[in-house]
Amino acid sequence: MKKYLTLMFAVLFLYVSASAQEKPAATRLDRIESFIADSLDNTEDILHTLRNLPNIEVGKGITFRPGNKSYEMTFRFRMQNMAGLSFDRNFSLTEAEAQIKRLRLRFDGYIFSPKFIYSIQLGFSSYDTEMIPNGNMNLIRDAIVYFMPNPSWNIGFGQTKVKANRARVNSSSALQFVDRSIVNSEFGGDRDMGFFGEYYYGDYDSFAIAAKASVTLGEGRNWNSSSVAGFAYTGRLELYPMGRLHGKGEYIESDLDWEETPKLMIGLGYTFNNKAQRIQGWKGAAMSDGETRDIASYYADLVLKYRGFAFAADYLGRYTPQSALLSDGQHIYTGSGLNLQASYLFDRKWEVALRNSTMFPDREIMNMEGYRKWNQSTLGITRYIIGHSLKVQMDVSYNYMDKIPSSAGYDKWAIRFQVELGL
């Protein structure tokens, strides 16, 4: 009995040690099986238990899978701890910020068959759970089930990100700056409830294409019900002239996979949100007095990566066939924005990135926004410890607004520091 317990502790130590070194699961199992075979004559019971232990890999979560493979569940968590300072044009401190920006749990896997896939994500920080205009809470971020008969296509029903533009589909855990750009914050899509479909053709070495579409409620996550008969219709097309990017690099900032040949993704998207009840379509304040607007959004973006260099460009915009001015004094931000960012990864550990984002409001709303143009330039430095799963980031931003004379002042400079940790 003493020998048996000693062996089990040794097996556990080997398992955890191998997992921490991010060895492939098959390699870990071979090493442990060899150890057991050298230690006991009868190994079948222990090996049966061992094969059903959860698989633990940093950055890939904890995966549970029974021996009969009737289901699979991968559990992950992540947090972003952030601090920031804002300064006016005279370098006087105007705001200090320190918060748990994001704290999330995620569960992914399949049930009955690998063709039936589910994804659940919950958010617990004040940023994630802020009450939406109709009084509902924002705890649930993703809750969707997919039917995937083969790797080429899938259909889904539930709540998840609408596949509209690159910068929004890109996970907030996979950014090379502390947060997304001002252009995406205003014009980018969001999560919604409805039906989703995706189709993929091609591979990593030849021309590839992806087509994505959805029909959703149109009011954003956790809205639940709408008193007006309008939906949001979204379509997106992606072209990969040089083959697909490795590791889903089109939606992961930085060239962490170190593409050996140039890789390019060109994306185009469009959304028509019929009878939207919120001023940004899927997000923002609710329009009062039962007003609605038809809101159309357009998206064009590209990603280029090669040997540590990464470049991304996003052009987004919004318009409405009706007036952007609402009866209660609110307005819909109509206009466009351009975001450009480039980076280089040194030794696959340190990265320097530059981003330039510019907002162009339509003439109809310029007076209400208080500027003709808003430009934000950001320098970011990231130290990747375990890819995007464990990293330390700092960025410095400079804001310039082509102001309308009667408008108030604004913060010129901002510096932010963030630690990202995820399993």
Side-chain angles (χ1 to χ4, degrees):
M1 183 66 179
K2 183 177 180 181
K3 181 179 180 182
Y4 183 84
L5 290 174
T6 302
L7 179 63
M8 290 303 293
F9 279 115
V11 168
L12 181 61
F13 175 77
L14 279 175
Y15 181 82
V16 173
S17 299
S19 298
Q21 296 173 25
E22 298 187 271
K23 300 279 187 187
T27 302
R28 295 198 305 268
L29 190 57
D30 289 344
R31 289 181 56 190
I32 299 172
E33 285 182 352
S34 176
F35 174 81
I36 293 174
D38 291 340
S39 304
L40 286 178
D41 294 331
N42 185 9
T43 64
E44 290 302 317
D45 291 341
I46 300 176
L47 288 177
H48 176 75
T49 302
L50 177 63
R51 290 189 182 101
N52 290 282
L53 284 174
N55 178 46
I56 305 173
E57 293 186 62
V58 177
K60 297 183 180 180
I62 304 173
T63 299
F64 301 87
R65 186 189 303 110
N68 62 9
K69 298 182 180 180
S70 59
Y71 75 89
E72 178 180 293
M73 183 184 76
T74 298
F75 165 75
R76 303 179 187 180
F77 75 86
R78 53 178 286 241
M79 64 180 180
Q80 289 181 341
N81 297 347
M82 191 267 283
L85 301 173
S86 297
F87 303 86
D88 62 18
R89 65 189 64 198
N90 298 317
F91 290 98
S92 297
L93 181 64
T94 59
E95 183 182 61
E97 177 184 14
Q99 63 171 307
I100 310 300
K101 185 70 177 288
R102 295 176 175 93
L103 178 61
R104 298 179 183 176
L105 296 180
R106 179 174 169 177
F107 306 86
D108 302 287
Y110 67 81
I111 190 164
F112 301 126
S113 164
K115 294 182 179 180
F116 295 95
I117 300 170
Y118 64 87
S119 181
I120 299 169
Q121 185 173 192
L122 308 175
F124 297 94
S125 69
S126 58
Y127 176 85
D128 284 335
T129 60
E130 182 180 1
M131 188 174 293
I132 59 178
N134 69 353
N136 292 341
M137 294 296 292
N138 256 336
L139 179 67
I140 303 172
R141 302 190 68 79
D142 296 303
I144 187 167
V145 58
Y146 291 98
F147 173 61
M148 182 182 292
N150 58 62
S152 295
W153 66 277
N154 64 75
I155 55 175
F157 174 64
Q159 179 174 289
T160 190
K161 288 181 179 179
V162 178
K163 307 304 188 293
N165 63 302
R166 174 209 70 85
R168 189 63 186 88
V169 179
N170 206 121
S171 172
S172 58
S173 66
L175 304 179
Q176 54 191 182
F177 296 92
V178 172
D179 215 336
R180 295 184 174 92
S181 70
I182 57 174
V183 173
N184 180 79
S185 296
E186 178 59 48
F187 297 114
D190 204 353
R191 289 172 166 87
D192 205 359
M193 176 74 187
F195 293 90
F196 302 81
E198 301 178 10
Y199 173 75
Y200 298 89
Y201 171 81
D203 54 27
Y204 299 101
D205 300 317
S206 60
F207 177 82
I209 190 172
K212 306 173 183 182
S214 63
V215 179
T216 58
L217 187 64
E219 318 304 342
R221 60 182 184 269
N222 303 318
W223 194 268
N224 297 347
S225 63
S226 175
S227 59
V228 297
F231 298 98
Y233 308 90
T234 302
R236 178 172 171 83
L237 180 66
E238 297 173 357
L239 304 175
Y240 302 84
M242 307 170 190
R244 298 187 63 84
L245 286 79
H246 292 87
K248 298 183 179 179
E250 62 269 35
Y251 292 122
I252 296 177
E253 295 185 352
S254 175
D255 185 18
L256 290 175
D257 276 276
W258 201 266
E259 297 286 357
E260 292 294 340
T261 60
K263 295 291 185 180
L264 174 67
M265 184 276 284
I266 302 172
L268 297 171
Y270 183 81
T271 293
F272 179 72
N273 196 335
N274 181 229
K275 297 182 180 180
Q277 300 180 72
R278 303 175 72 176
I279 61 174
Q280 291 176 286
W282 288 304
K283 53 190 178 180
M287 303 179 201
S288 59
D289 302 324
E291 280 193 272
T292 64
R293 287 290 189 276
D294 293 339
I295 298 177
S297 302
Y298 49 90
Y299 318 94
D301 45 64
L302 67 84
V303 173
L304 174 65
K305 294 187 178 183
Y306 179 57
R307 291 182 174 270
F309 171 78
F311 174 77
D314 309 275
Y315 181 68
L316 315 178
R318 178 189 300 129
Y319 68 93
T320 174
Q322 302 114 333
S323 173
L325 307 180
L326 304 176
S327 59
D328 62 353
Q330 290 182 305
H331 68 280
I332 297 170
Y333 194 119
T334 55
S336 61
L338 176 65
N339 179 70
L340 303 171
Q341 60 191 69
S343 64
Y344 187 76
L345 183 65
F346 297 89
D347 298 326
R348 305 193 184 191
K349 296 179 180 179
W350 289 92
E351 181 182 67
V352 176
L354 291 170
R355 181 172 70 193
N356 189 76
S357 306
T358 310
M359 302 282 287
F360 306 97
D362 283 345
R363 185 176 298 276
E364 183 182 19
I365 66 165
M366 278 184 185
N367 285 329
M368 305 188 76
E369 288 295 325
Y371 61 86
R372 300 179 183 88
K373 181 177 70 174
W374 174 14
N375 179 263
Q376 184 183 82
S377 299
T378 303
L379 169 66
I381 298 176
T382 301
R383 172 61 167 94
Y384 297 100
I385 301 171
I386 308 177
H388 281 294
S389 299
L390 179 56
K391 60 187 177 183
V392 179
Q393 297 178 286
M394 185 182 73
D395 63 29
V396 180
S397 295
Y398 172 76
N399 290 281
Y400 170 76
M401 289 185 178
D402 182 4
K403 301 289 289 182
I404 294 173
S406 61
S407 59
Y410 61 97
D411 293 338
K412 277 280 198 178
W413 296 90
I415 181 169
R416 302 177 295 184
F417 173 80
Q418 180 170 274
V419 175
E420 169 96 25
L421 172 63
L423 177 63

